[in-house]
Amino acid sequence: MKALFSSLAVATAIAIVGISSANAASRSTSTAGPNGKSISRTGSSACSGRSCSSAQALTGPRGNTASRSGNTSCSSGSCNGAATYTGPAGNTASRARSSTF
């Protein structure tokens, strides 16, 4: 599960960087393994001003879904972000971060 959340975080970072000039983006992919079972990923992100939000969901071959949603906003030399992760059983974990520059 930790690897899954790491993948979601990387996907979010890519999505936010990739939309800097477009304001919104969405993407859906599906990958099949050698055993014929597939994993699907959907994601979307949007930015307005100095704030961005994103959401991703991964669905495994048995129909279990894990998701992540989050947002980041920057102003006056600092950025703040928060994310919520939801596992296949419905358990959630939250993370907040802040940085100054």
Side-chain angles (χ1 to χ4, degrees):
M1 190 58 97
K2 186 174 183 179
L4 171 67
F5 291 140
S6 295
S7 296
L8 289 171
V10 170
T12 301
I14 292 169
I16 289 174
V17 169
I19 64 164
S20 60
S21 64
N23 293 337
S26 63
R27 181 177 179 179
S28 296
T29 59
S30 183
T31 304
N35 60 4
K37 296 182 179 182
S38 65
I39 295 174
S40 299
R41 177 181 113 37
T42 59
S44 63
S45 52
C47 293
S48 176
R50 294 181 175 216
S51 298
C52 291
S53 61
S54 63
Q56 294 81 38
L58 292 174
T59 303
R62 295 185 202 142
N64 295 332
T65 300
S67 62
R68 178 209 177 273
S69 62
N71 60 62
T72 301
S73 62
C74 298
S75 67
S76 302
S78 68
C79 292
N80 299 297
T84 300
Y85 302 88
T86 305
N91 297 326
T92 61
S94 297
R95 178 182 76 152
R97 62 192 182 283
S98 179
S99 61
T100 56
F101 53 93

